[in-house]
Amino acid sequence: MSAREQGDFKFVELGEEAVEQQSTKPGERLEEPVEPAGPAERGSDTQPEKPSDRKPLTNPHTVLVKREPIDKHKLKRFFVLRPGTIEQAIEDIQSMMDEKEDGSFQSAWLLAEVDHWNNEKERIVLLAENSLLICKYDFIMLSCEHIQRIPLNCIDRICHGEFTFPQKSLDKREGEGLRILWDRLREPTFLSRWNPFSGDFPFCTFTEHPVLEASDKFTKMCALDQFMDQLMQASQRAHEKNPVPGKANGVLVLKQPILIETYVGLMSFIGNQNKLGYCLARGNMGF
C-alpha cells in the first residue's frame, strides 16, 4: 500500500469515529436497533387478539331491550300479582269473618290446595284465633266465592312430607305438601273417593303457590313451613282454651308421605298443566 493510500484510509477511519462520537454521549453505549419479534418469538404475555376479545361496534343510538326469563313472563299472567289485588282480597274476607266464632285475625296465606284427584286450586287461607278459613277467591272479579271454616280445636293431626301415589298409578307430583286432618273417626265413602267434585273429606291438602318467588312479600305469604308452625301453635292454644269432649287435647304433627289415591290422572294432568285452578290472563279467545 502506498503512502497516499494509507493516508486516505486513516482519513476515512477517523471520519467514521467522529460520526459515532457525535451520535452518542460520553460514557454511553451505542445499542443496536431491536427488530419487532415475530409471532413465534413472542412470549405468553403477548398473545394474538382473539375475536371474542374485540369490542363489538355498536350504534350509539341503538336501544338494547333486556329480555326477561320465560318464568317471570308467565308469572305476570297471575291476577293475584296485580298491585293491590291480594290486599283487597284479604280485606274482603276479613269483613266476612264472625268475631264471636272466629276470633281475632292472625295471619293470611296464599297457597294451592290439592284435592283427592290431584287437582290444584288457588286458595287464600286465613288463620284466626279460633278458626281456619279456606277461601276460594276470584281475583278477576274481586269477589269471594266460597269459604270453608274449620275450628282449630277440631284439628287433631298435621302431616307434612312428599307426595306419593299408589304403586300402579300413572299420576305423579313433585315437591312436598301439608295435610290437615280434623276427624280421624270418619273415613271418606267409596262414592266420595271416585267423585272428582266431592268435598266431603275430613282433611285438606296444601302445597306452595306458583308465585312463591315473585317477590319477598309473596315468598312470606306462600311459605308452607311457616304456615305449618303458626297453625300448630294456634291449634294447640285452641285445644287448651276450648277442648272438645271425647277428643285428645292436642295436635299430633307427623313427618310422613302424603298419599293421593289417583291411578290415571288424565283430568289432573290437563288441568294442572294449563293452570285451570288459578286466575290467569289467558289471552283473547275471539278472532
Side-chain angles (χ1 to χ4, degrees), residues 7 11 35 42 45 81 85 101 115 125 128 131 137 179 188 210 222-223 227 252 267 279:
F11 177 79
E35 297 180 359
R42 294 176 183 174
D45 297 336
L81 296 180
T85 303
E101 183 178 3
D115 65 5
V125 181
S131 303
Y137 192 86
R179 176 164 290 177
C222 303
F227 169 69
L252 184 62
M267 179 179 176
C279 293

Side-chain angles (χ1 to χ4, degrees), residues 127-282:
L127 184 59
E129 183 180 1
N130 302 323
S131 303
L132 179 69
L133 305 177
I134 304 174
C135 311
K136 179 183 179 182
Y137 192 86
D138 187 354
F139 292 102
I140 302 177
M141 302 301 298
L142 297 179
S143 62
C144 184
E145 298 182 350
H146 181 263
I147 296 179
Q148 181 182 6
R149 179 178 283 104
I150 303 172
L152 292 179
N153 59 347
C154 293
I155 298 176
D156 48 34
R157 284 177 295 168
I158 299 176
C159 303
H160 64 100
E162 296 182 354
F163 291 101
T164 59
F165 295 85
Q167 185 177 3
K168 298 181 180 180
S169 175
L170 301 178
D171 206 354
K172 63 179 181 178
R173 171 181 289 276
E174 298 179 355
E176 295 185 351
L178 177 70
R179 176 164 290 177
I180 305 170
L181 303 98
W182 54 84
D183 193 355
R184 67 177 65 189
L185 299 179
R186 182 167 62 93
E187 292 292 335
T189 62
F190 177 81
L191 295 178
S192 297
R193 293 178 184 273
W194 289 96
N195 183 6
F197 306 102
S198 176
D200 187 20
F201 287 88
F203 61 83
C204 58
T205 308
F206 296 102
T207 187
E208 294 176 340
H209 198 282
V211 300
L212 173 67
E213 299 180 355
S215 64
D216 295 338
K217 178 180 69 174
F218 285 96
T219 300
K220 296 178 181 178
M221 292 189 64
C222 303
L224 199 62
D225 53 348
Q226 297 182 10
F227 169 69
M228 183 186 68
D229 294 339
Q230 293 193 20
L231 176 63
M232 181 181 59
Q233 297 174 7
S235 300
Q236 191 65 34
R237 291 192 298 265
H239 276 279
E240 296 175 357
K241 180 181 178 180
N242 188 16
V244 178
K247 296 190 66 174
N249 296 329
V251 181
L252 184 62
V253 180
L254 302 175
K255 175 67 175 179
Q256 64 181 22
I258 298 178
L259 178 63
I260 300 180
E261 294 186 85
T262 59
Y263 291 89
V264 179
L266 180 60
M267 179 179 176
S268 62
F269 175 79
I270 297 175
N272 295 337
Q273 288 295 322
N274 295 278
K275 296 290 187 294
L276 298 182
Y278 299 88
C279 293
L280 293 180
R282 305 187 186 275

Side-chain angles (χ1 to χ4, degrees), residues 86-125:
I86 187 65
E87 290 80 6
Q88 181 66 39
I90 296 174
E91 183 179 350
D92 293 344
I93 299 173
Q94 281 183 337
S95 63
M96 301 178 183
M97 292 176 57
D98 188 350
E99 187 175 356
K100 294 182 180 180
E101 183 178 3
D102 301 324
S104 60
F105 169 78
Q106 301 293 328
S107 59
W109 307 86
L110 180 64
L111 303 173
E113 184 179 6
V114 182
D115 65 5
H116 61 292
W117 274 47
N118 196 28
N119 296 306
E120 289 185 13
K121 302 174 182 179
E122 193 173 34
R123 295 291 182 264
I124 295 181
V125 181

